[in-house]
Amino acid sequence: MLNILSLLVGLVAFVIAFVGLVLFLGWLNWLALPIAAVGTALGLLSDSKAGRNLNILVLIFGGFRLFIGSGFI
């Protein structure tokens, strides 16, 4: 159950981060990172690894995007 919840949180965070990437709205990545961190915590509590891995991917994706834009763009 926690894995499904983690996957749903990860999908929401991924959509937010993707919209921030395509539309060049860096502030959306600041919103996506805490959401993905919560999803990672839920994924760590579950037995399966799929939700955790998705959220870690979103964290890396959003963090790299903020690194490239110096956290603003």
Side-chain angles (χ1 to χ4, degrees):
M1 185 67 184
L2 286 175
N3 187 45
I4 294 171
L5 188 60
S6 176
L7 281 170
L8 290 175
V9 170
L11 287 175
V12 169
F14 179 74
V15 168
I16 291 171
F18 187 73
V19 169
L21 175 72
V22 172
L23 299 179
F24 300 110
L25 299 172
W27 58 272
L28 279 177
N29 286 313
W30 285 110
L31 178 66
L33 289 179
I35 294 171
V38 169
T40 303
L42 290 172
L44 287 173
L45 295 174
S46 71
D47 295 332
S48 182
K49 297 179 183 179
R52 182 197 65 188
N53 292 342
L54 174 65
N55 285 296
I56 289 174
L57 183 69
V58 172
L59 283 171
I60 291 170
F61 177 74
F64 183 69
R65 169 66 179 89
L66 286 173
F67 175 74
I68 289 174
S70 300
F72 297 112
I73 300 173

